[in-house]
Amino acid sequence: MSTALHEQEALVQELAHREGSGTLQLVSFRLGQEEYGVEITKVQEIILMGEITKVPQTPEYIKGLINLRSSVIPIVDLRLRFGLPPQDTTDETRIMVVNVRGKTIGIIVDAVSEVLRINKDQIAPPPPTVAGLGREYLTGLVKLDKRLLILLDIERILDEQDGSMGDF
């Protein structure tokens, strides 16, 4: 088994065995046809799309900067970060303001769905056969009634070794 797979399984175990009642709260959101979730403790707030100031010579997925109550924060288009095709902004498009290792960053998502409280036994590790799109960012799959929610490691997505977020 690969080291990355061991790390992911360890993260799933950590999420599942957190102190407390064995439940976890997630904010779920959509990108394209897929539904994703991140731990609510990472989400500071959810805001409407506004004016984004472009920054030259940054990766395509870094859309620019916004002024959020006197704090300047970088904005990442999660669709582009995952290699999905760009999409025009709609009435449902939102910026999720997240805290990652002491940094505040905004991520653009197609729509925010809901806040979910799940039990740890609803989290399954991603199957080893899953490859490609965002595989390294998955921490698990959440089994809901008639759908699967992809649980993301937001810190890994936004704190890559490529250093692209390090300048902000």
Side-chain angles (χ1 to χ4, degrees):
M1 202 183 291
S2 73
T3 305
L5 190 56
H6 280 301
E7 287 175 8
Q8 286 174 335
E9 286 183 355
L11 193 50
V12 168
Q13 294 294 323
E14 178 187 330
L15 286 173
H17 295 293
R18 289 263 162 106
E19 291 180 59
S21 62
T23 62
L24 187 64
Q25 279 191 298
L26 304 174
V27 176
S28 68
F29 61 90
R30 279 190 303 101
L31 284 179
Q33 300 303 308
E34 302 303 325
E35 194 172 9
Y36 297 87
V38 295
E39 280 187 86
I40 200 167
T41 57
K42 306 281 188 213
V43 180
Q44 178 179 312
E45 62 186 296
I46 297 163
I47 60 175
L48 296 170
M49 284 291 293
E51 191 67 31
I52 298 174
T53 303
K54 303 272 187 237
V55 178
Q57 308 229 344
T58 56
E60 182 183 11
Y61 60 86
I62 298 179
K63 300 314 276 180
L65 303 169
I66 66 168
N67 183 351
L68 182 65
R69 290 184 300 283
S70 300
S71 293
V72 176
I73 63 170
I75 302 298
V76 173
D77 188 327
L78 207 52
R79 288 182 71 84
L80 299 179
R81 184 72 177 106
F82 283 175
L84 296 169
Q87 178 175 298
D88 290 336
T89 300
T90 69
D91 289 342
E92 293 187 329
T93 305
R94 296 289 183 269
I95 296 175
M96 287 178 46
V97 180
V98 297
N99 293 305
V100 178
R101 295 194 174 113
K103 297 178 189 168
T104 302
I105 298 169
I107 57 173
I108 300 172
V109 299
D110 292 350
V112 174
S113 307
E114 60 187 320
V115 174
L116 298 167
R117 182 181 298 274
I118 60 160
N119 289 314
K120 62 184 179 183
D121 59 2
Q122 290 176 271
I123 302 173
T129 54
V130 173
L133 181 64
R135 170 74 168 113
E136 62 272 25
Y137 310 128
L138 267 69
T139 58
L141 299 172
V142 179
K143 296 177 265 186
L144 302 171
D145 289 338
K146 294 183 179 176
R147 64 193 206 269
L148 283 176
L149 180 90
I150 301 166
L151 192 55
L152 294 177
D153 181 351
I154 199 73
E155 290 187 3
R156 186 170 283 177
I157 294 167
L158 299 176
D159 196 31
E160 285 288 290
Q161 300 303 322
D162 62 16
S164 59
M165 297 304 296
D167 297 334
F168 287 107

